[in-house]
Amino acid sequence: MMSSRSAATARSQSASLRRRGPVLERAILDAALEQLSTVGWNGLTMEGVAAGAQTGKAAVYRRWPSKEDLVADALLAGLPPFDEAADHGSIREDLYQLCRSVRDAMFSQPGFALRAVLHECDPASAERFQELINSNFIEPSNRLLGQVVDRGIQRGDVRPDATGELVLQVIPALMMFRTKVCGSEWEDGEIAEMIDQILVPLLRPPTAR
Amino acid sequence: MMSSRSAATARSQSASLRRRGPVLERAILDAALEQLSTVGWNGLTMEGVAAGAQTGKAAVYRRWPSKEDLVADALLAGLPPFDEAADHGSIREDLYQLCRSVRDAMFSQPGFALRAVLHECDPASAERFQELINSNFIEPSNRLLGQVVDRGIQRGDVRPDATGELVLQVIPALMMFRTKVCGSEWEDGEIAEMIDQILVPLLRPPTAR
């Protein structure tokens, strides 16, 4: 006779076998992220991910031919999309909210996993994951930053000549520097200080003084 | 019978044996830097340094009990002192000249050697060399940066509220970011752009607009 616990497990496993398409894929990607967080890139196996997602190894290999493909998709699925920076009415608030989104992504489970993978994997895989960071995180967030500054110029709370590469690099540079050198975790208050003490004075037009 | 070449070598070696104190020490430190540049931290030996300085191993060990001590002193002796930032009459020129000095140190032979050593040596030595960088390069250059900004406030070409940690981190942050991410080697023109596009607008007082 089955205990109620075994029966529940059996029901759950039976249910898992009926998962299809996006639901099963999501379960596999979640299991891959979970494995990255616990055993890291080197410890992660397709078998372990399949077990974590309560499915078979074939279901994993059918969708992702290699561990590298699976991990890349798992990281991508976990990172937030950077496709829009809402208009909050002022350059100060727009930059503050954008920096908070960037910080949230950096300190999310996929964000930590991505940095850990970069340190562990071989150079060829590292190049692929660095490219993934560039095209899905750095470039989109820089594009949004440029949009926010352009909107400020049109709105009138950013000086018209605050264009160019260097202006847009001040935030990512300070975020990299303080994360690495000061061990900063970018609490909201620290983001606000960076915007108020550096970006607002740097960007404001003469008439706003 | 000695060839003229052997005779010259013998004279040179005989001369080298008469070197004393600071002259011999300088020759040993130069030989250590030279070894770091050619065979790296792992390849450097006390014997090799002694040979490079045309002296005996005992003369090296008498002054530096370990390879780590010798390399630390060689790097220190090669880096320029950061003890003064001359007054060039404007915040723009003061910052420009200070950044050029920092760039020159970063791209000097000891600067390259120091970064190479950090990558090669074991964690305990790395900690010592990182501390050497902090106390002999990063802290002094940051102190000078603070002095230059304070002088600008007194002179009147820097706004009085441009104080605080974050303002002083903009230059080191941009230098770290563009060196790592853009592979920048900080030509003079790029330093001038950073000062003119970022620091001068960030620091200037309202009346200067």
Side-chain angles (χ1 to χ4, degrees), chain A residues 72-112:
Chain A
D73 272 4
L75 293 169
L76 270 184
L79 283 171
F82 280 96
D83 48 14
E84 205 192 355
D87 186 345
H88 299 279
S90 71
I91 185 67
R92 195 246 174 231
E93 197 63 18
D94 281 2
L95 289 176
Y96 177 66
Q97 297 300 344
L98 179 56
C99 288
R100 288 181 70 223
S101 308
V102 169
R103 183 270 324 270
D104 288 346
M106 281 167 64
F107 291 94
S108 66
Q109 190 197 34
F112 280 114

Side-chain angles (χ1 to χ4, degrees), chain A residues 159 165-167 169-170 172-174 176-178 181-182 193-194 197-198 201-202 204-206 209, chain B residues 159 165-167 169-170 172-174 176-178 181-182 193-194 197-198 201-202 204-206 209:
Chain A
R159 61 188 161 86
E165 191 179 71
L166 274 163
V167 167
Q169 287 176 344
V170 171
L174 279 170
M176 175 192 272
F177 181 84
R178 290 182 64 86
V181 177
C182 315
E193 280 179 9
M194 173 173 69
Q197 294 178 26
I198 307 296
L202 171 64
R204 66 187 160 198
R209 297 244 167 176
Chain B
R159 60 187 163 86
E165 191 179 71
L166 273 163
V167 167
Q169 287 176 345
V170 171
L174 279 170
M176 176 191 271
F177 182 85
R178 290 182 63 87
V181 177
C182 315
E193 281 179 10
M194 174 173 68
Q197 293 177 26
I198 307 297
L202 171 64
R204 67 186 159 197
R209 298 243 166 179

Side-chain angles (χ1 to χ4, degrees), chain A residues 19-41:
Chain A
R19 292 170 307 176
R20 289 287 180 277
V23 176
L24 179 55
E25 280 176 17
R26 184 71 252 179
I28 294 172
L29 294 173
D30 285 346
L33 268 190
E34 179 64 27
Q35 285 256 305
L36 281 178
S37 305
T38 50
V39 297
W41 165 263

